Amino acid sequence: MKLKVALGIIAITGSLWSCKTDTNEADKLNEDLIEMSSENFDYKVEQFADIKLLRYQIPGWENLALKEQKLVYYLTQAGLSGRDIIWDQNYRHNLTIRKALENVYSNYNGDKTTEDWKAFNKYLKRLWFSNGIHHHYSNDKIKPEFSSEYLKTLLAQTNTTLEGEAFEVLFNEMDAKKVNQAKGVDNVFESAVNFYGTNVTNADVENFYAQKKSPNPEKPLSFGLNSKLVKEGGVLKERVYKSGGLYGEAIDEIVKWLALAQGVAENKAQGDALGLLIQYYKTGDLQTWDDYNVAWTAATDGNIDYINSFIEVYNDPLGYRGSYETVVQIKDFDMSAKMAVLSENAQWFEDNSPLMDAHKKETVVGVTYKVVTVAGEAGDASPSTPIGVNLPNANWIRAAVGSKSVSLGNIINAYNNAGSSGRLGEFVHDEEEHELEKAHGQLADKLHTALHEVIGHASGQLNPGVGETKETLKNYASTLEEGRADLVGLYYLFNPKLQELGLVQDWEAVGKAAFDGYIRNGLMTQLIRLNLGDDVEEAHMRNRQWVSAWAFEKGKADNVIEKVTRDGKTYYNINDYAKLRELFGQLLRETQRIKSEGDFNAVEALVEGYGVKVNQTLHAEVLERNKQFTSAPYSGFVNPVLVPEMDEAGEINSIKVMQPSSFEYQMLNYSNTFGFLPAVNYKEVATDIKL
Ligand SMILES: [Zn+2]
């Protein structure tokens, strides 16, 4: 499972992208790789279409031993070696198209000042960002803003071949959606994603896997995870991703680097897990995949960890096939120590919570949750990245062995630092609120996430005999649970206990910043994500609104949160933080009661009453005030570049962290260095082609 960027992170801290260009940006473009100190770190790379590209740092790199740095380096090289796989998985013509367009880009020396050329540039960047011709988020085919005639001229002038379906598809209506999840259509047949032959249907897939039986039904194998299902002469066959199989050329490179990583593993458990992953890549055997996951999940001792393989199944309309991805992680020692403090004190938090006694857990165990520093990403995790990941996905392994839940700390940090505070200035009520947010907003945000994850989700218990919330609370289960975990965090954020535990230096300031940010976001700034007239739909957005709106209403008599209108603009000002904390406590007690009793009517009234409908006048005002901030809605990252230096014997004696100067440099460099797959990886015979 992966957590995509939480809308709140950006909005809560109020730091967002601004479009101003750096004065020295032109100078930097002259060099491909640049060194950046953390004091003068430039988070912004560029913005185009609906995308902004950022950089992230690897804080603490110099504190790693050389052996650990090597491990990180080998794992990132392994990850990048599979980059072409995600392109081919996303769409069968993606590699053909990318190779052709990159050849044009690198060799064209005609007029580069025209609108057409700029449109071509933008189109190629959008493809790089999405790992293919379909939008990374909406799944719609990206429309070029230049004509097919113009592309033909470019192809001719650069001696590039792109013809037939792979050319026509850029301009016609074919394969319009990467993943088609619509109701009532044949989703496999209608999806452009390259997990199935073009003539394979939903029914084919269901029938094929209905016949697969796991040797041990209690430990079901992940059938279909690592193959393409094709129909040849009417017969369904899996083309397995493995050495010597589909994507074998790239997989052999992955294996080569994983073997080097295994050689510098931090401990036996980690090395053994890497060995099993290599074995899996060599054989494609799904029992080995499970053995690997059990070993990987149990290997928790090292400072370095990684995700590498065919993992998440969101890109398959039927959820069988895993998209290739990798994330290489270094433990964030400082934040992990803070998490450990919370985890160790989980019982204190439970005992001192405002829950009814019957709903408190007698023995509570904090959820294991690590903050990590990302050192490199590839495949489906790059350039668009998750901010948190919880693996493995197999439920039986999660139940039997557990799971690893990580938050990508330096990525979140880069999001937080990537912009100006213009929007924050627009929506804060006063200078004090502004200053508190600037000084303590990020720490407050991190601690809220930590309390939410480590204490919040672990807290409370169901009454005996009450079913799981997906049965009792139905479609409100997830917004109730997320709101409940948020409330646990809020209740403890304005609390001297955090200072006692050494987590903050000024609990009041941090707590105030946390409350200000939550209310500002829940009642106003998150509305910038919605179109006027829309209801709030997304579970987290709903809970931020129902928590904030409920507290606002219940505190009205005491003027706890004051709605202020100044120069025609609305602000919310918290007058009494201690009272607001009490209100959060009351609501926490109530949400836990709803969960413990499975009270559907109460959750429906709470969510529908406070979390769904939007005040249209306020919404229109917020959108109007937000117009001045031209921030692209989607973000992604270039990766730092790890540059090894060798001694005379060819041994690595140090590894430097550099940053790419530009997005196009990094993308072209990746294609040149890690372009291991041919343009076409599976050719259908004429009789089997979709009509
Ligand atoms: Zn949560």
Side-chain angles (χ1 to χ4, degrees):
M1 270 175 284
K2 75 169 101 180
L3 180 61
K4 278 289 180 179
V5 65
L7 304 177
I9 286 177
I10 294 166
I12 283 172
T13 60
S15 36
L16 278 132
W17 183 266
S18 90
C19 202
K20 77 175 166 70
T21 18
D22 248 328
T23 39
N24 57 356
E25 201 141 84
D27 302 336
K28 282 191 247 139
L29 284 174
N30 296 329
E31 299 172 43
D32 294 334
L33 288 180
I34 40 188
E35 249 186 305
M36 273 187 199
S37 69
S38 59
E39 293 81 49
N40 298 311
F41 194 79
D42 187 0
Y43 289 94
K44 295 171 279 180
V45 182
E46 67 167 316
Q47 177 161 328
F48 54 85
D50 54 356
I51 303 295
K52 58 197 171 207
L53 272 161
L54 310 174
R55 291 185 185 87
Y56 61 92
Q57 310 188 66
I58 314 180
W61 175 256
E62 57 288 346
N63 300 335
L64 294 181
L66 179 60
K67 191 180 165 202
E68 292 172 310
Q69 292 184 346
K70 283 185 187 173
L71 177 58
V72 172
Y73 173 68
Y74 295 145
L75 289 169
T76 53
Q77 295 293 105
L80 287 165
S81 297
R83 174 176 180 256
D84 277 0
I85 296 174
I86 190 67
W87 282 77
D88 197 70
Q89 285 184 312
N90 278 341
Y91 184 52
R92 65 191 182 282
H93 295 309
N94 271 343
L95 285 171
T96 306
I97 294 165
R98 190 193 79 198
K99 284 169 198 262
L101 300 193
E102 285 177 349
N103 195 55
V104 169
Y105 183 88
S106 303
N107 295 300
Y108 180 67
N109 38 31
D111 188 353
K112 294 188 178 177
T113 62
T114 66
E115 290 307 309
D116 273 341
W117 177 255
K118 285 179 196 158
F120 172 80
N121 257 270
K122 182 162 93 175
Y123 181 70
L124 180 54
K125 283 183 188 174
R126 296 185 74 187
L127 265 49
W128 279 329
F129 190 85
S130 292
N131 296 310
I133 65 167
H134 298 90
H135 192 277
H136 75 285
Y137 192 84
S138 75
N139 284 310
D140 291 330
K141 200 164 65 173
I142 299 167
K143 286 194 172 54
E145 292 164 19
F146 51 85
S147 67
S148 59
E149 286 68 35
Y150 180 68
L151 182 55
K152 277 180 190 160
T153 342
L154 294 180
L155 293 168
Q157 286 183 21
T158 54
N159 237 336
T160 311
T161 309
L162 180 64
E163 55 195 10
E165 209 173 76
F167 177 89
E168 287 152 17
V169 74
L170 301 188
F171 302 98
N172 65 20
E173 295 305 310
M174 196 175 95
D175 294 328
K177 201 116 188 143
K178 183 169 90 179
V179 189
N180 187 328
Q181 298 278 26
K183 266 187 194 162
V185 304
D186 191 316
N187 303 99
V188 166
F189 192 75
E190 296 298 334
S191 295
V193 72
N194 191 25
F195 289 138
Y196 300 97
T198 57
N199 54 352
V200 175
T201 65
N202 267 21
D204 287 335
V205 180
E206 276 155 20
N207 293 337
F208 187 83
Y209 289 105
Q211 289 161 29
K212 297 263 178 190
K213 292 276 177 282
S214 293
N216 180 351
E218 277 165 21
K219 298 179 174 180
L221 298 174
S222 301
F223 288 120
L225 185 71
N226 63 339
S227 63
K228 171 170 174 156
L229 186 66
V230 299
K231 208 192 293 182
E232 290 173 352
V235 182
L236 289 163
K237 293 176 187 169
E238 281 184 338
R239 295 288 171 156
V240 178
Y241 312 152
K242 60 172 184 172
S243 288
L246 190 54
Y247 306 143
E249 302 93 326
I251 287 171
D252 287 342
E253 293 290 328
I254 299 171
V255 164
K256 180 183 93 185
W257 290 106
L258 289 179
L260 288 167
Q262 193 186 10
V264 292
E266 296 174 275
N267 52 56
K268 185 171 183 306
Q270 189 184 56
D272 290 349
L274 281 164
L276 283 164
L277 181 58
I278 292 169
Q279 201 53 33
Y280 167 62
Y281 272 129
K282 285 184 173 170
T283 61
D285 181 67
L286 290 169
Q287 182 58 55
T288 309
W289 170 243
D290 279 359
D291 295 345
Y292 160 70
N293 273 288
V294 169
W296 176 83
T297 305
T300 51
D301 278 343
N303 293 331
I304 316 293
D305 208 348
Y306 64 94
I307 293 161
N308 177 312
S309 194
F310 313 104
I311 310 270
E312 306 289 0
V313 296
Y314 308 117
N315 286 327
D316 180 346
L318 296 186
Y320 285 93
R321 305 187 133 75
S323 294
Y324 175 80
E325 72 168 359
T326 202
V327 180
V328 181
Q329 314 152 3
I330 303 163
K331 188 170 165 188
D332 177 333
F333 299 96
D334 177 48
M335 277 314 287
S336 299
K338 288 184 173 161
M339 299 298 154
V341 168
L342 289 180
S343 220
E344 285 155 17
N345 287 278
Q347 193 64 50
W348 183 92
F349 287 105
E350 186 74 352
D351 294 345
N352 289 278
S353 83
L355 304 189
M356 294 176 214
D357 284 340
H359 300 154
K360 286 185 185 176
K361 272 190 184 139
E362 253 168 62
T363 32
V364 61
V365 181
V367 172
T368 312
Y369 171 81
K370 253 191 200 170
V371 175
V372 297
T373 297
V374 171
E377 297 179 315
D380 206 30
S382 181
S384 173
T385 168
I387 57 160
V389 191
N390 190 331
L391 290 172
N393 281 330
N395 280 317
W396 76 262
I397 301 178
R398 298 170 72 86
V401 193
S403 68
K404 289 180 179 172
S405 181
V406 294
S407 167
L408 312 186
N410 57 333
I411 296 280
I412 294 169
N413 202 43
Y415 275 121
N416 285 337
N417 284 296
S420 77
S421 52
R423 186 179 277 119
L424 176 65
E426 175 61 44
F427 290 101
V428 290
H429 170 262
D430 50 48
E431 206 37 46
E432 188 201 0
E433 183 180 337
H434 203 166
E435 291 306 316
L436 279 172
E437 173 61 41
K438 281 199 277 187
H440 306 288
Q442 289 188 30
L443 178 60
D445 199 25
K446 276 187 188 174
L447 282 172
H448 192 206
T449 307
L451 284 161
H452 173 116
E453 299 287 348
V454 180
I455 307 296
H457 283 308
S459 162
Q461 63 182 359
L462 298 182
N463 286 356
V466 173
E468 290 295 319
T469 55
K470 65 173 189 277
E471 295 151 24
T472 58
L473 306 181
K474 302 187 173 77
N475 52 321
Y476 300 113
S478 69
T479 191
L480 194 278
E481 177 59 16
E482 292 310 319
R484 198 186 61 82
D486 264 6
L487 284 162
V488 172
L490 289 165
Y491 186 73
Y492 286 116
L493 270 164
F494 189 71
N495 192 311
K497 183 71 180 177
L498 294 188
Q499 197 161 331
E500 211 178 283
L501 293 174
L503 294 167
V504 299
Q505 279 166 3
D506 181 348
W507 69 269
E508 275 195 272
V510 174
K512 283 180 175 180
F515 282 17
D516 287 342
Y518 198 89
I519 294 296
R520 194 169 60 239
N521 187 40
L523 294 180
M524 284 202 299
T525 47
Q526 72 167 357
L527 296 176
I528 64 174
R529 300 269 170 173
L530 298 181
N531 295 317
L532 195 59
D534 288 353
D535 286 342
V536 184
E537 305 259 5
E538 199 273 330
H540 295 83
M541 283 184 74
R542 280 187 166 184
N543 86 56
R544 290 184 202 117
Q545 181 170 306
W546 61 251
V547 167
S548 306
W550 187 95
F552 173 66
E553 190 185 287
K554 299 295 168 187
K556 253 184 186 164
D558 295 327
N559 207 18
V560 175
I561 304 170
E562 188 178 358
K563 185 175 176 179
V564 177
T565 313
R566 203 167 54 215
D567 303 330
K569 292 178 177 180
T570 307
Y571 305 89
Y572 289 92
N573 188 43
I574 301 172
N575 288 319
D576 192 336
Y577 291 90
K579 275 243 169 71
L580 181 54
R581 175 174 189 260
E582 270 173 42
L583 290 170
F584 285 145
Q586 283 173 27
L587 186 55
L588 170 57
R589 184 181 171 96
E590 171 63 5
T591 53
Q592 182 60 55
R593 184 198 65 76
I594 292 171
K595 181 180 175 183
S596 295
E597 296 177 6
D599 186 344
F600 180 82
N601 291 336
V603 74
E604 186 179 47
L606 178 64
V607 177
E608 295 293 340
Y610 296 94
V612 179
K613 292 293 169 203
V614 181
N615 177 323
Q616 296 299 298
T617 320
L618 178 64
H619 193 185
E621 178 201 316
V622 167
L623 292 177
E624 189 55 39
R625 287 162 71 183
N626 186 55
K627 268 189 188 160
Q628 56 186 304
F629 309 108
T630 51
S631 171
Y634 302 103
S635 309
F637 290 86
V638 294
N639 289 293
V641 181
L642 303 179
V643 185
E645 277 162 23
M646 315 282 188
D647 62 17
E648 278 161 19
E651 291 287 318
I652 296 176
N653 58 19
S654 73
I655 300 174
K656 225 180 188 176
V657 178
M658 305 285 279
Q659 294 287 341
S661 59
S662 71
F663 182 48
E664 54 269 37
Y665 160 73
Q666 180 148 79
M667 292 296 105
L668 289 170
N669 180 267
Y670 281 171
S671 295
N672 290 333
T673 315
F674 303 103
F676 295 120
L677 293 184
V680 177
N681 287 276
Y682 176 80
K683 203 158 171 49
E684 294 187 317
V685 287
T687 48
D688 288 320
I689 287 171
K690 171 176 175 178
L691 297 173

